[in-house]
Amino acid sequence: FETWSDASRDMLEKVQANRVLVLNVYRSISREQVEQYLYKMLDPLLRMFVERENIPVQEEDKQFIIYFYKYALVGMVLEWIRKDMKTDPVLLTQRLNKLLHGGIRRTLLKFQAGGGTVALPKD
């Protein structure tokens, strides 16, 4: 993907294309499976966009940044699913893009400037 908007829109459209399945799984005991699926989709996408910035930051800090954005975005998507995916994925992507535009770069620069390494939980 060239832009974060393209990647997030694609992800939301895939989720919405499988709306019945996703809602059934989400509303069942297996809600955690939806979360894990979203985490697995987002982690490599976020890593790609973090690496694309080409800002030298310690690996532990990069992973911390990826975790932050991953959990924030999955939370937003889960809320969207909980509300029956009524918001158009394009509109949701535009709103998320307003929050994220330049955010990853600014965060990486803060960590590059000595923001300090943070211990991460083990997966």
Side-chain angles (χ1 to χ4, degrees):
F1 295 99
E2 289 299 314
T3 67
W4 170 251
S5 287
D6 293 341
S8 59
R9 186 183 65 249
D10 182 70
M11 179 191 69
L12 293 173
E13 287 173 346
K14 285 178 182 174
V15 171
Q16 194 176 50
N18 294 298
R19 184 177 189 276
V20 173
L21 174 66
V22 171
L23 286 173
N24 285 335
V25 172
Y26 177 82
R27 291 178 178 147
S28 74
I29 297 171
S30 303
R31 177 182 162 184
E32 186 176 336
Q33 288 179 337
V34 174
E35 290 179 45
Q36 293 304 316
Y37 172 73
L38 293 170
Y39 291 143
K40 285 179 185 176
M41 284 179 67
L42 276 171
D43 201 83
L45 283 174
L46 288 167
R47 170 140 321 260
M48 179 181 68
F49 285 104
V50 164
E51 296 294 343
R52 192 179 284 176
E53 292 295 337
N54 202 27
I55 297 172
V57 173
Q58 291 183 6
E59 184 56 37
E60 293 164 359
D61 291 334
K62 283 182 187 178
Q63 191 59 52
F64 183 76
I65 293 164
I66 291 166
Y67 281 164
F68 175 81
Y69 282 98
K70 177 172 66 172
Y71 292 124
L73 291 168
V74 167
M76 295 298 295
V77 172
L78 289 173
E79 182 67 9
W80 175 66
I81 292 170
R82 188 183 71 74
K83 292 181 176 180
D84 292 327
M85 301 182 221
K86 291 180 182 172
T87 302
D88 180 3
V90 173
L91 177 60
L92 183 56
T93 298
Q94 289 170 346
R95 296 180 85 195
L96 288 170
N97 196 44
K98 285 181 184 180
L99 291 171
L100 295 173
H101 185 72
I104 291 175
R105 180 173 183 71
R106 281 190 302 273
T107 304
L108 286 165
L109 289 170
K110 288 178 184 178
F111 276 85
Q112 179 190 34
T117 300
V118 178
L120 295 174
K122 300 291 181 199
D123 287 332

